[in-house]
């Protein structure tokens, strides 16, 4: 089958991997809001015909095993995975052309495209801030563990370091504490609201 990329969509509430050879074919995985390597600029709409078996899994090459078929449409804006839609069954060529035209026209609206792209930037910014917070938290664990190993006393128990320092003081394995600080168990703090300039476009008109 060779190399491919994967687009992740939802079918019946379940995340599903759809393989494609349209782009760079570097085994990359993409979800809504991701920039796709090898994508063309502008508003692009692609389609694919999906066959699904009774358990809800995609069927490749053995259509006799399919219990259901769908036509998938994928929208890219300036190389960003912006949207997708699913139609039941395998559509006729004219119906596919019509859906492609409708989606292209919908996303050719510059206001819609800008709102979407700004939203993508905001979400990515929040994720980066959260990851930076986890890295900083984990760094405090390393610093505190080194201080304890050197025989120093941890006197500054405050903020996000409080619980990790307490765990180190009571003898928890530093590697376990470090893993916890990097994972979902530790809350992170950021001064960023993540709302950007579009928090409330009517704010300046409100009493």
């Amino acid at each position: 089958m060779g190399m491919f990329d994967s687009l992740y969509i939802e079918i019946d509430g379940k995340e599903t991997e759809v393989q494609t050879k349209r782009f760079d074919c570097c085994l990359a995985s993409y979800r809504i809001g991701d920039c796709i390597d090898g994508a063309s600029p502008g508003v692009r709409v692609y389609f694919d015909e999906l066959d699904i078996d009774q358990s809800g899994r995609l069927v490749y090459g053995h259509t006799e095993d399919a219990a259901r078929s769908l036509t998938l449409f994928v929208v890219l804006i300036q190389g960003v995975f912006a949207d997708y839609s699913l139609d039941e069954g395998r559509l006729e060529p004219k119906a596919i052309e019509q859906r492609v035209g409708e989606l292209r026209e919908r996303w050719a609206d510059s206001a819609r495209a800008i709102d979407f792209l700004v939203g993508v930037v905001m979400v990515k910014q929040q994720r980066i801030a959260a990851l930076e917070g986890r890295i900083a938290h984990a760094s405090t664990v390393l610093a505190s563990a080194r201080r304890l190993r050197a025989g120093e006393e941890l006197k500054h128990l405050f903020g996000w370091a409080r619980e990790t320092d307490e765990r180190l003081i009571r003898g928890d394995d530093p590697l376990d504490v470090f893993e916890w600080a990097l994972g979902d168990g530790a809350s992170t703090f950021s001064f960023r609201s993540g709302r950007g300039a579009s928090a409330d476009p009517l704010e300046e008109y409100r009493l």
Side-chain angles (χ1 to χ4, degrees):
M1 187 174 180
M3 302 279 279
F4 56 87
D5 294 316
S6 297
L7 302 178
Y8 282 88
I9 64 171
E10 265 195 20
I11 298 179
D12 298 332
K14 178 182 177 182
E15 187 176 63
T16 303
E17 176 191 13
V18 176
Q19 297 176 0
T20 174
K21 293 189 175 184
R22 164 63 65 173
F23 310 112
D24 273 0
C25 296
C26 54
L27 298 179
S29 297
Y30 301 108
R31 291 172 173 82
I32 292 287
D34 289 340
C35 293
I36 296 182
D37 294 335
S40 301
V43 177
R44 304 282 175 167
V45 181
Y46 302 98
F47 82 96
D48 195 9
E49 294 168 330
L50 309 179
D51 294 308
I52 304 173
D53 64 17
Q54 291 184 344
S55 64
R57 293 177 298 185
L58 291 185
V59 176
Y60 291 98
H62 300 284
T63 55
E64 65 273 9
D65 297 330
R68 177 186 177 198
S69 295
L70 298 169
T71 302
L72 167 68
F73 295 89
V74 170
V75 181
L76 274 59
I77 301 175
Q78 304 301 337
V80 178
F81 184 10
D83 193 16
Y84 67 87
S85 68
L86 292 162
D87 285 41
E88 289 288 342
R90 291 173 174 263
L91 301 186
E92 295 295 325
K94 286 187 177 180
I96 291 174
E97 289 180 0
Q98 181 177 348
R99 290 289 289 125
V100 167
E102 291 170 352
L103 289 168
R104 186 179 291 146
E105 182 178 357
R106 171 181 169 83
W107 285 99
D109 180 346
S110 59
R112 183 188 302 278
I114 290 172
D115 283 348
F116 168 76
L117 293 173
V118 168
V120 167
V121 171
M122 288 166 54
V123 170
K124 299 292 185 183
Q125 192 174 44
Q126 290 171 340
R127 288 178 181 171
I128 290 170
L131 289 172
E132 287 176 342
R134 291 184 182 186
I135 291 170
H137 195 175
S139 296
T140 65
V141 174
L142 291 177
S144 294
R146 289 192 178 109
R147 288 173 60 193
L148 280 176
R149 188 172 60 182
E152 298 180 29
E153 183 179 354
L154 300 181
K155 298 180 180 179
H156 304 292
L157 299 178
F158 65 92
W160 65 9
R162 181 179 181 86
E163 185 168 354
T164 52
D165 281 0
E166 288 177 344
R167 290 184 60 179
L168 290 170
I169 290 170
R170 69 173 180 246
D172 287 9
D173 187 331
L175 288 178
D176 291 339
V177 181
F178 183 81
E179 181 181 32
W180 179 84
L182 281 176
D184 294 332
S187 61
T188 57
F189 179 79
S190 173
F191 288 103
R192 294 183 182 274
S193 70
R195 294 179 305 209
S198 60
D200 183 356
L202 300 179
E203 178 63 29
E204 64 176 299
Y205 306 114
R206 296 183 187 278
L207 288 174

